[in-house]
Amino acid sequence: MKYNSDILRLLHEELYDVLREVVRVCDTAGIPYFIQGGTAIGAHFFEDIVPWDDDVDLGMTRENYERFLREAPALLGEGYVLQEFTTEHDTPFYFAKVRKRGTRFVESEWVGLPIEEGIYVDIFPYDIIPDDEVLARRQRRRVGFLVNCFMAKSVWLWRWFGRANNGVVFPKSWLSCAVIRLMCATHSKERIYELLRRELTRYNDSGASRYNIVRMPKDMIAVEAIRNPERRLFGNMEVWAPSNLESYLHSHYGDIQKWLPEDKRLNHAPEVLG
């Protein structure tokens, strides 16, 4: 769907509502978090959600992320739900979302899945990645494969060896699809999740200098920037951000700009919004 300004304004209000609840839970439990991705861009340039954006992204180090998974379900208000594999087996997401009940935000590729569909805040686990770029690339490839296998246990999104859900076809070779199908046929979703977590956390005791969500080659944050976060204005609230935020944004996005051309103002453009 294509947004107009009124729809985006209402969506942003709902996103702030979910974000306030997540921050309340984190403050109550003493769980550190930080803004990341497009949300960090919004805080840096606009002190708000980027005007054309339609989600909010938070990060947590692995230890804090797993604390959140354990403690948030009991702390979240009645109108919110934690969506993650340990709480919702059918989810195709290897990371967590906090969704608002009574709303709907469904992207095309997830239409028809038996999962919670509310407007959400994404919460990503950040793990240490090796300083050696060869090792980092190898880890990223292994994680990418396992993430695809994990997702394929819930939904198929490629051309080969299956029908793509809702006609959404992502690019992938027939050989890659065959290997994913083989992995899914011989491993349970629980086992794939276990292997994925093991790979994501492979270097967490290595003493390396950067955190990453591992899948993303540029989404790197210095360990010190997370250990020493700073407060940033975001809408009518304050949130935690990595220190030296502009350095992280340059690492992630290169030559960041406040205003992008219309054709580069990307968002999730859900098929169902309500």
Side-chain angles (χ1 to χ4, degrees), residues 112-132:
L113 296 188
I115 61 175
E116 290 284 349
E117 296 181 331
I119 292 168
Y120 61 83
V121 166
D122 281 327
I123 303 174
F124 293 95
Y126 272 70
D127 294 290
I128 297 288
I129 61 168
D131 292 324
D132 184 310

Side-chain angles (χ1 to χ4, degrees), residues 145 149 156 161 173-186:
F145 169 69
C149 293
W156 192 257
F161 303 105
S173 71
W174 70 267
L175 180 59
S176 295
C177 290
V179 176
I180 291 170
R181 276 296 189 203
L182 179 61
M183 183 73 169
C184 289
T186 56

